[in-house]
Amino acid sequence: MSSHSVDDFKDVVGHFATGVVVVSAQTLDGPAGFTCQTFGSLSLEPALISFSASSQSQSWPRVRVASTVGVNILESGQESLARVFATSGVDKFAGVSWSPAPGGAPLLDGALAHLEGRIVSVTTQGDHELVVAEIDFVVRHEGRPLVYYRGGFGVLT
Ligand SMILES: Cc1cc2nc3c(=O)[nH]c(=O)nc-3n(C[C@H](O)[C@H](O)[C@H](O)COP(=O)(O)O)c2cc1C
């Protein structure tokens, strides 16, 4: 039996500052995506990344079945984009400029870096799914990262 509440746990893990990404995919019903901070590199050879997707997410089931998945590492000026892609039930891509990666995944203009790959494993871990993708395409741009720390957005100076 754990001695801490869910809020305690969220508050403590929130002390770990992270970058912010938008996981994206092109689907039969148009582009889909969601804001994510559980992104990380998992293996260099092969190039594998991981992230965890909430079982409550409406976008994840659409991303999961896409042929490729995109990861957009957000730039310091993209806080409003991060907020839009964290809002359920809205047309997140309305007015957002993007271009397709080689495999078709939406790459958001202005992001700091992009990756595209194929999902190779999904395992249920509590109330989320742990996703592993093998990366086939990477590109970086100039800029500073958007960061997330203790429930708030910030930039690295
Ligand atoms: C900074 C930040 C980080 C987030 N990280 C994750 C994450 O790692 N995994 C996840 O499933 N949801 C994460 N979320 C929540 C999703 O973005 C949100 O639940 C989702 O976008 C809701 O829309 P959907 O129902 O269309 O998926 C995060 C939200 C914010 C603001």
Side-chain angles (χ1 to χ4, degrees):
M1 184 58 201
S2 60
S3 61
H4 58 266
S5 68
V6 172
D7 287 348
D8 279 343
F9 178 70
K10 271 181 89 172
D11 178 56
V12 169
V13 292
H15 284 66
F16 181 70
T18 69
V20 182
V21 307
V22 167
V23 171
S24 62
Q26 185 57 286
T27 79
L28 296 176
D29 318 316
F34 62 95
T35 298
C36 175
Q37 71 174 136
T38 51
F39 164 77
S41 64
L42 191 56
S43 153
L44 298 181
E45 286 178 326
L48 300 176
I49 59 109
S50 65
F51 60 86
S52 69
S54 164
S55 31
Q56 308 296 314
S57 166
Q58 291 175 23
S59 300
W60 163 237
R62 296 174 59 202
V63 170
R64 180 182 180 160
V65 295
S67 54
T68 66
V69 59
V71 174
N72 302 272
I73 299 176
L74 297 187
E75 211 277 336
S76 59
Q78 296 182 308
E79 177 178 337
S80 55
L81 207 62
R83 291 183 185 284
V84 168
F85 278 86
T87 311
S88 210
V90 302
D91 179 1
K92 300 179 181 187
F93 281 83
V96 172
S97 58
W98 59 272
S99 43
L107 302 184
L108 307 180
D109 291 357
L112 192 55
H114 304 281
L115 305 96
E116 185 190 39
R118 293 155 289 111
I119 293 172
V120 291
S121 121
V122 178
T123 51
T124 301
Q125 301 293 341
D127 56 13
H128 279 60
E129 297 199 295
L130 180 59
V131 183
V132 176
E134 181 160 354
I135 297 300
D136 304 309
F137 172 80
V138 296
V139 64
R140 87 218 74 198
H141 306 287
E142 288 307 313
R144 292 180 174 283
L146 182 67
V147 297
Y148 197 69
Y149 173 68
R150 297 191 67 183
F153 290 101
V155 297
L156 276 186
T157 52

Short mmCIF file of all heavy atoms in Angstrom, two decimals, residues 112-145:
data_model
loop_
_atom_site.label_atom_id
_atom_site.label_comp_id
_atom_site.label_asym_id
_atom_site.label_seq_id
_atom_site.Cartn_x
_atom_site.Cartn_y
_atom_site.Cartn_z
N LEU A 112 11.56 22.82 -32.85
CA LEU A 112 13.03 22.83 -32.70
C LEU A 112 13.66 21.65 -33.44
O LEU A 112 14.75 21.74 -33.97
CB LEU A 112 13.35 22.74 -31.21
CG LEU A 112 14.77 23.00 -30.73
CD1 LEU A 112 15.28 24.36 -31.20
CD2 LEU A 112 14.82 22.89 -29.21
N ALA A 113 12.95 20.52 -33.44
CA ALA A 113 13.45 19.31 -34.10
C ALA A 113 12.29 18.37 -34.35
O ALA A 113 11.23 18.49 -33.71
CB ALA A 113 14.51 18.63 -33.23
N HIS A 114 12.49 17.48 -35.32
CA HIS A 114 11.43 16.53 -35.67
C HIS A 114 12.03 15.14 -35.81
O HIS A 114 13.18 14.98 -36.22
CB HIS A 114 10.82 16.88 -37.03
CG HIS A 114 10.26 18.26 -37.15
ND1 HIS A 114 9.03 18.61 -36.65
CD2 HIS A 114 10.75 19.38 -37.75
CE1 HIS A 114 8.80 19.89 -36.95
NE2 HIS A 114 9.82 20.37 -37.60
N LEU A 115 11.20 14.15 -35.49
CA LEU A 115 11.58 12.76 -35.75
C LEU A 115 10.35 12.07 -36.34
O LEU A 115 9.21 12.46 -36.07
CB LEU A 115 11.98 12.03 -34.46
CG LEU A 115 13.09 12.62 -33.60
CD1 LEU A 115 12.52 13.48 -32.47
CD2 LEU A 115 13.96 11.52 -33.01
N GLU A 116 10.59 11.05 -37.15
CA GLU A 116 9.48 10.23 -37.65
C GLU A 116 9.90 8.76 -37.58
O GLU A 116 11.07 8.44 -37.85
CB GLU A 116 9.06 10.57 -39.08
CG GLU A 116 7.83 9.78 -39.52
CD GLU A 116 7.52 9.89 -41.00
OE1 GLU A 116 8.47 9.90 -41.82
OE2 GLU A 116 6.32 10.01 -41.33
N GLY A 117 8.94 7.91 -37.21
CA GLY A 117 9.27 6.49 -37.13
C GLY A 117 8.03 5.62 -37.15
O GLY A 117 6.92 6.10 -37.42
N ARG A 118 8.23 4.34 -36.86
CA ARG A 118 7.15 3.36 -36.86
C ARG A 118 7.03 2.77 -35.46
O ARG A 118 8.05 2.43 -34.84
CB ARG A 118 7.48 2.22 -37.83
CG ARG A 118 7.50 2.61 -39.28
CD ARG A 118 8.41 1.67 -40.09
NE ARG A 118 9.82 1.88 -39.79
CZ ARG A 118 10.61 1.03 -39.13
NH1 ARG A 118 10.13 -0.12 -38.70
NH2 ARG A 118 11.88 1.29 -38.89
N ILE A 119 5.80 2.64 -34.97
CA ILE A 119 5.58 2.04 -33.64
C ILE A 119 5.94 0.56 -33.71
O ILE A 119 5.47 -0.16 -34.58
CB ILE A 119 4.14 2.27 -33.19
CG1 ILE A 119 3.91 3.78 -32.95
CG2 ILE A 119 3.81 1.46 -31.93
CD1 ILE A 119 2.48 4.17 -32.68
N VAL A 120 6.82 0.12 -32.81
CA VAL A 120 7.24 -1.29 -32.82
C VAL A 120 6.75 -2.04 -31.57
O VAL A 120 6.79 -3.27 -31.54
CB VAL A 120 8.79 -1.40 -32.92
CG1 VAL A 120 9.26 -0.95 -34.29
CG2 VAL A 120 9.50 -0.64 -31.81
N SER A 121 6.32 -1.32 -30.53
CA SER A 121 5.77 -2.01 -29.36
C SER A 121 4.90 -1.08 -28.52
O SER A 121 5.18 0.11 -28.42
CB SER A 121 6.91 -2.61 -28.53
OG SER A 121 6.90 -2.10 -27.21
N VAL A 122 3.82 -1.65 -28.00
CA VAL A 122 2.90 -0.94 -27.11
C VAL A 122 2.57 -1.88 -25.96
O VAL A 122 2.07 -2.98 -26.20
CB VAL A 122 1.60 -0.52 -27.82
CG1 VAL A 122 0.66 0.18 -26.85
CG2 VAL A 122 1.88 0.39 -29.02
N THR A 123 2.88 -1.46 -24.73
CA THR A 123 2.54 -2.30 -23.57
C THR A 123 1.77 -1.46 -22.56
O THR A 123 2.13 -0.31 -22.31
CB THR A 123 3.81 -2.84 -22.89
OG1 THR A 123 4.70 -1.74 -22.64
CG2 THR A 123 4.53 -3.86 -23.75
N THR A 124 0.71 -2.04 -22.00
CA THR A 124 -0.08 -1.31 -21.00
C THR A 124 0.68 -1.28 -19.68
O THR A 124 1.15 -2.32 -19.21
CB THR A 124 -1.45 -2.01 -20.82
OG1 THR A 124 -2.10 -2.01 -22.09
CG2 THR A 124 -2.30 -1.27 -19.81
N GLN A 125 0.85 -0.10 -19.14
CA GLN A 125 1.55 0.10 -17.87
C GLN A 125 0.65 0.98 -16.99
O GLN A 125 0.63 2.20 -17.17
CB GLN A 125 2.91 0.78 -18.08
CG GLN A 125 3.85 0.03 -18.99
CD GLN A 125 4.32 -1.30 -18.38
OE1 GLN A 125 4.22 -1.50 -17.17
NE2 GLN A 125 4.78 -2.19 -19.23
N GLY A 126 -0.16 0.35 -16.14
CA GLY A 126 -1.07 1.14 -15.31
C GLY A 126 -2.09 1.86 -16.18
O GLY A 126 -2.68 1.28 -17.09
N ASP A 127 -2.25 3.18 -15.96
CA ASP A 127 -3.28 3.93 -16.70
C ASP A 127 -2.74 4.56 -17.98
O ASP A 127 -3.35 5.45 -18.58
CB ASP A 127 -3.91 5.00 -15.80
CG ASP A 127 -2.86 5.96 -15.21
OD1 ASP A 127 -1.70 5.94 -15.71
OD2 ASP A 127 -3.21 6.70 -14.28
N HIS A 128 -1.54 4.11 -18.39
CA HIS A 128 -0.96 4.59 -19.66
C HIS A 128 -0.48 3.40 -20.48
O HIS A 128 -0.44 2.27 -19.99
CB HIS A 128 0.23 5.52 -19.39
CG HIS A 128 -0.16 6.93 -19.06
ND1 HIS A 128 -0.94 7.25 -17.97
CD2 HIS A 128 0.14 8.11 -19.67
CE1 HIS A 128 -1.10 8.57 -17.93
NE2 HIS A 128 -0.47 9.11 -18.96
N GLU A 129 -0.10 3.67 -21.73
CA GLU A 129 0.52 2.65 -22.58
C GLU A 129 1.93 3.14 -22.89
O GLU A 129 2.14 4.30 -23.24
CB GLU A 129 -0.29 2.45 -23.86
CG GLU A 129 -1.68 1.92 -23.54
CD GLU A 129 -2.34 1.29 -24.75
OE1 GLU A 129 -2.60 2.03 -25.70
OE2 GLU A 129 -2.55 0.06 -24.73
N LEU A 130 2.89 2.25 -22.72
CA LEU A 130 4.29 2.58 -23.02
C LEU A 130 4.55 2.22 -24.48
O LEU A 130 4.37 1.06 -24.88
CB LEU A 130 5.23 1.80 -22.10
CG LEU A 130 6.72 2.06 -22.31
CD1 LEU A 130 7.06 3.54 -22.11
CD2 LEU A 130 7.55 1.19 -21.36
N VAL A 131 4.93 3.23 -25.23
CA VAL A 131 5.07 3.07 -26.68
C VAL A 131 6.54 3.17 -27.07
O VAL A 131 7.25 4.06 -26.59
CB VAL A 131 4.28 4.18 -27.41
CG1 VAL A 131 4.34 4.00 -28.91
CG2 VAL A 131 2.85 4.25 -26.89
N VAL A 132 6.98 2.26 -27.93
CA VAL A 132 8.35 2.32 -28.47
C VAL A 132 8.24 2.45 -29.99
O VAL A 132 7.44 1.75 -30.62
CB VAL A 132 9.16 1.06 -28.10
CG1 VAL A 132 10.54 1.10 -28.75
CG2 VAL A 132 9.27 0.93 -26.58
N ALA A 133 8.99 3.39 -30.55
CA ALA A 133 8.98 3.57 -32.00
C ALA A 133 10.41 3.55 -32.53
O ALA A 133 11.33 4.04 -31.86
CB ALA A 133 8.30 4.89 -32.37
N GLU A 134 10.58 2.95 -33.72
CA GLU A 134 11.89 2.95 -34.37
C GLU A 134 11.94 4.13 -35.33
O GLU A 134 11.00 4.34 -36.11
CB GLU A 134 12.15 1.64 -35.11
CG GLU A 134 13.52 1.62 -35.76
CD GLU A 134 14.02 0.22 -36.09
OE1 GLU A 134 13.33 -0.76 -35.71
OE2 GLU A 134 15.09 0.14 -36.72
N ILE A 135 13.00 4.90 -35.22
CA ILE A 135 13.09 6.17 -35.94
C ILE A 135 13.79 5.99 -37.29
O ILE A 135 14.83 5.34 -37.38
CB ILE A 135 13.82 7.20 -35.07
CG1 ILE A 135 13.01 7.49 -33.80
CG2 ILE A 135 14.10 8.49 -35.85
CD1 ILE A 135 11.61 8.03 -34.05
N ASP A 136 13.14 6.57 -38.34
CA ASP A 136 13.70 6.51 -39.71
C ASP A 136 14.13 7.87 -40.22
O ASP A 136 14.82 7.97 -41.24
CB ASP A 136 12.64 5.96 -40.66
CG ASP A 136 12.10 4.61 -40.20
OD1 ASP A 136 12.93 3.73 -39.91
OD2 ASP A 136 10.86 4.47 -40.08
N PHE A 137 13.68 8.94 -39.56
CA PHE A 137 13.93 10.29 -40.08
C PHE A 137 14.11 11.26 -38.92
O PHE A 137 13.33 11.22 -37.96
CB PHE A 137 12.73 10.74 -40.92
CG PHE A 137 12.77 12.17 -41.36
CD1 PHE A 137 13.55 12.58 -42.44
CD2 PHE A 137 12.02 13.13 -40.68
CE1 PHE A 137 13.58 13.93 -42.82
CE2 PHE A 137 12.04 14.47 -41.06
CZ PHE A 137 12.83 14.86 -42.14
N VAL A 138 15.16 12.11 -38.99
CA VAL A 138 15.37 13.14 -37.96
C VAL A 138 15.81 14.44 -38.65
O VAL A 138 16.45 14.40 -39.70
CB VAL A 138 16.48 12.75 -36.96
CG1 VAL A 138 16.08 11.53 -36.15
CG2 VAL A 138 17.82 12.53 -37.64
N VAL A 139 15.40 15.57 -38.07
CA VAL A 139 15.87 16.88 -38.55
C VAL A 139 15.84 17.86 -37.39
O VAL A 139 14.99 17.75 -36.50
CB VAL A 139 14.99 17.38 -39.74
CG1 VAL A 139 13.54 17.61 -39.30
CG2 VAL A 139 15.58 18.62 -40.38
N ARG A 140 16.82 18.80 -37.38
CA ARG A 140 16.86 19.79 -36.28
C ARG A 140 16.88 21.18 -36.88
O ARG A 140 17.24 21.36 -38.04
CB ARG A 140 18.09 19.53 -35.41
CG ARG A 140 19.38 20.20 -35.84
CD ARG A 140 20.63 19.37 -35.66
NE ARG A 140 20.65 18.34 -36.67
CZ ARG A 140 21.42 17.25 -36.58
NH1 ARG A 140 22.17 17.06 -35.53
NH2 ARG A 140 21.40 16.35 -37.54
N HIS A 141 16.49 22.16 -36.06
CA HIS A 141 16.48 23.56 -36.48
C HIS A 141 17.11 24.39 -35.37
O HIS A 141 17.33 23.89 -34.26
CB HIS A 141 15.04 24.03 -36.73
CG HIS A 141 14.30 23.15 -37.70
ND1 HIS A 141 14.56 23.15 -39.04
CD2 HIS A 141 13.32 22.22 -37.50
CE1 HIS A 141 13.77 22.27 -39.65
NE2 HIS A 141 13.01 21.69 -38.73
N GLU A 142 17.39 25.65 -35.63
CA GLU A 142 17.95 26.55 -34.61
C GLU A 142 16.84 26.98 -33.65
O GLU A 142 15.68 27.06 -34.02
CB GLU A 142 18.55 27.79 -35.29
CG GLU A 142 19.85 27.51 -36.04
CD GLU A 142 20.86 26.80 -35.14
OE1 GLU A 142 21.05 27.25 -33.99
OE2 GLU A 142 21.38 25.72 -35.56
N GLY A 143 17.21 27.24 -32.38
CA GLY A 143 16.22 27.77 -31.45
C GLY A 143 16.48 27.28 -30.04
O GLY A 143 17.49 26.65 -29.77
N ARG A 144 15.54 27.57 -29.15
CA ARG A 144 15.64 27.14 -27.74
C ARG A 144 14.42 26.28 -27.40
O ARG A 144 13.35 26.51 -27.94
CB ARG A 144 15.65 28.37 -26.82
CG ARG A 144 16.91 29.21 -26.93
CD ARG A 144 16.86 30.41 -25.99
NE ARG A 144 18.13 31.12 -26.02
CZ ARG A 144 19.23 30.70 -25.39
NH1 ARG A 144 19.19 29.56 -24.70
NH2 ARG A 144 20.35 31.38 -25.44
N PRO A 145 14.58 25.34 -26.47
CA PRO A 145 13.47 24.44 -26.17
C PRO A 145 12.40 25.05 -25.27
O PRO A 145 12.70 25.89 -24.42
CB PRO A 145 14.15 23.28 -25.45
CG PRO A 145 15.32 23.92 -24.78
CD PRO A 145 15.79 25.00 -25.73
#
